[in-house]
Amino acid sequence: MSEKSTSPKGGDLTPATTGRVMQVERHDYTDLAPQNAKRTQPMRGFDAIYTDIVDYIVRCTHLIWDERDIGLIYSHYTHNCVLYGTTGTLYTREEVVRDTIQRLVSFPERRGMATHVIWKGNEDDGFYTSHLVTGTGRHSQNGHLGPATGRMFTSRTVADCMIYENKIYREWVVADTTAILQQLGIDVQGYAERIAKSAFDKGMVSLDIGENRAQVGQYPPEAEPDLSLATSDLERHTLRWLHDVFNRKMLGTIAKVYAPTAQYHGPLMAELYGHAAIIHQTLGLIGSIPDAAFTVHHICSTPCEEGGEKVAVRWIMEGHHIGYGILNHLGSPTGKRVQIMGITHFHYKNGKIVDEWRVYDEASALVQVKLAQMADVKAAGLTAQT
């Protein structure tokens, strides 16, 4: 998953000028998905209804999830698409269809509203979109989360998609499942136990791989990050300070790059303000897996109609649950290996971050811990038999 963004033809997804491409932030859905509008961006191979890449990702998501045209997946995903989720990977279009159906069975009233879309690309090499969605709904039917609770929920999800000629061929989805479970009153421990047991019964285990790039041997963290993913000065600046904060543990950097009035929109639908709160949330995440290596897998940016620029970063934190922090469902340190996939959107204005949307799923980490514990029990049983 640590790839540069490339098209099926092998070309880099070089940034394209936004021109007249629609932006999500302050427009109504009818503006984002206009009827009978002319195309404003070269999009060879895309259905004629789409005016630009933002219209494409917002409109087709709306049609599939809100208007229940699930069959559009057949014309909007390749047969061998790969979808990376926080608790598993889907490898075929049919799996995407089935997964979509099951989620809509549980939440038939769910509505997903585009918060913003950060993108890059062109018709020759393909497009990359990072689509932040705020979903609301009611758990009104029995389904994949168990008996209906009748409760309402609101949560954030980010889907990063690689698209070529109308079809998504690779996708990363980070949903704050824990926020949904808590709002519905569903036991997070029980949910994680069920998911882990299902994986364990299929022969899956979590293997402890020891040290990672955060501390190779007795060396300190690398002084500089890999900047090869960046295509602009702002993207390079973002990669540098993320590396300083998460790998070099220089959390004071946050006060230098965020505006004093910055707002943090975090997991569990947290809405916090200011340097102290953002530092605490970051310290708490690091605290739960203090030996984690933070690796950026993709970054892109677009100018923003509200002023400044928005930057999307897809990342992995990989380490061991050997500390206390804000991942409270994990409980006391277990020592188990944990990998957290997250996607963050930043809004820069006047050189400072004024908003951050950070999405990762705590329940996914809990599933990994429980799976590793199940493997330990099995190993202990085999040892006792011998």
Side-chain angles (χ1 to χ4, degrees):
M1 291 169 57
S2 180
E3 83 298 324
K4 286 187 178 181
S5 297
T6 57
S7 75
K9 294 181 179 180
D12 286 343
L13 293 187
T14 53
T17 178
T18 56
R20 296 170 58 196
V21 175
M22 184 68 72
Q23 294 191 6
V24 172
E25 288 80 353
R26 53 186 182 183
H27 295 278
D28 193 25
Y29 178 76
T30 54
D31 298 320
L32 298 172
Q35 297 297 316
N36 304 315
K38 293 182 179 180
R39 180 159 292 177
T40 59
Q41 179 182 33
M43 297 175 68
R44 185 182 60 253
F46 283 78
D47 289 349
I49 191 175
Y50 301 121
T51 60
D52 56 48
I53 193 59
V54 174
D55 178 13
Y56 168 86
I57 201 65
V58 170
R59 190 194 299 258
C60 76
T61 302
H62 171 85
L63 290 172
I64 291 169
W65 287 92
D66 293 350
E67 297 192 18
R68 311 300 188 252
D69 284 337
I70 301 169
L72 284 177
I73 291 172
Y74 291 111
S75 59
H76 286 67
Y77 284 76
T78 60
H79 73 285
N80 59 349
C81 62
V82 181
L83 190 154
Y84 301 97
T86 54
T87 55
T89 303
L90 306 180
Y91 292 97
T92 70
R93 183 167 56 199
E94 285 299 331
E95 289 178 286
V96 176
V97 171
R98 289 197 297 269
D99 184 74
T100 303
I101 291 172
Q102 291 307 307
R103 294 179 189 280
L104 287 175
V105 164
S106 298
F107 305 129
E109 301 171 23
R110 180 191 177 275
R111 293 292 179 267
M113 295 164 287
T115 303
H116 31 76
V117 176
I118 302 170
W119 65 277
K120 69 178 182 181
N122 56 67
E123 66 175 358
D124 293 324
D125 301 318
F127 294 92
Y128 188 105
T129 60
S130 187
H131 182 195
L132 174 61
V133 175
T134 303
T136 64
R138 188 165 64 93
H139 186 210
S140 59
Q141 300 294 323
N142 301 340
H144 71 292
L145 294 181
T149 63
R151 294 189 179 186
M152 302 291 293
F153 71 90
T154 302
S155 67
R156 283 184 278 262
T157 300
V158 184
D160 277 21
C161 294
M162 298 180 77
I163 311 154
Y164 184 70
E165 294 192 351
N166 208 73
K167 287 186 170 62
I168 296 166
Y169 61 94
R170 197 167 300 149
E171 181 174 9
W172 293 261
V173 178
V174 179
D176 189 0
T177 305
T178 315
I180 297 175
L181 296 173
Q182 289 195 165
Q183 291 172 62
L184 300 184
I186 295 175
D187 177 36
V188 178
Q189 297 290 332
Y191 167 85
E193 186 86 20
R194 179 167 58 84
I195 300 298
K197 183 64 166 56
S198 176
F200 182 75
D201 290 344
K202 296 176 183 177
M204 297 175 63
V205 295
S206 179
L207 300 178
D208 190 324
I209 60 172
E211 68 182 20
N212 52 46
R213 285 184 60 83
Q215 293 177 317
V216 179
Q218 300 180 58
Y219 290 96
E222 296 170 338
E224 291 291 332
D226 178 7
L227 301 178
S228 61
L229 295 175
T231 58
S232 72
D233 288 342
L234 182 60
E235 292 176 12
R236 283 184 281 272
H237 166 69
T238 302
L239 292 178
R240 286 192 180 96
W241 75 255
L242 284 171
H243 176 75
D244 285 345
V245 169
F246 285 94
N247 290 325
R248 298 183 63 233
K249 311 299 189 287
M250 301 291 287
L251 276 83
T253 303
I254 289 174
K256 300 175 183 177
V257 298
Y258 286 73
T261 55
Q263 185 169 359
Y264 170 88
H265 318 267
L268 307 182
M269 296 307 293
E271 297 289 347
L272 303 170
Y273 301 86
H275 292 160
I278 297 169
I279 290 172
H280 179 73
Q281 290 296 302
T282 305
L283 179 63
L285 176 58
I286 294 172
S288 294
I289 42 176
D291 70 335
F294 181 91
T295 304
V296 173
H297 286 250
H298 190 272
I299 185 169
C300 62
S301 57
T302 52
C304 180
E305 288 181 351
E306 298 172 295
E309 292 187 63
K310 286 192 173 171
V311 178
V313 181
R314 175 165 52 83
W315 49 269
I316 292 284
M317 283 185 70
E318 190 167 34
H320 298 83
H321 178 220
I322 54 176
Y324 291 92
I326 61 173
L327 302 183
N328 295 315
H329 290 99
L330 273 59
S332 299
T334 62
K336 300 306 179 186
R337 175 175 169 264
V338 172
Q339 182 185 85
I340 295 178
M341 177 168 67
I343 301 176
T344 304
H345 285 189
F346 300 102
H347 184 191
Y348 287 85
K349 290 183 74 173
N350 300 318
K352 300 286 187 179
I353 296 170
V354 295
D355 277 287
E356 175 187 351
W357 293 261
R358 185 185 301 178
V359 183
Y360 60 82
D361 186 16
E362 184 176 345
S364 169
L366 183 58
V367 169
Q368 295 171 58
V369 168
K370 289 184 177 294
L371 181 58
Q373 292 172 330
M374 292 176 185
D376 288 346
V377 171
K378 180 179 181 180
L382 293 175
T383 301
Q385 292 177 12
T386 58

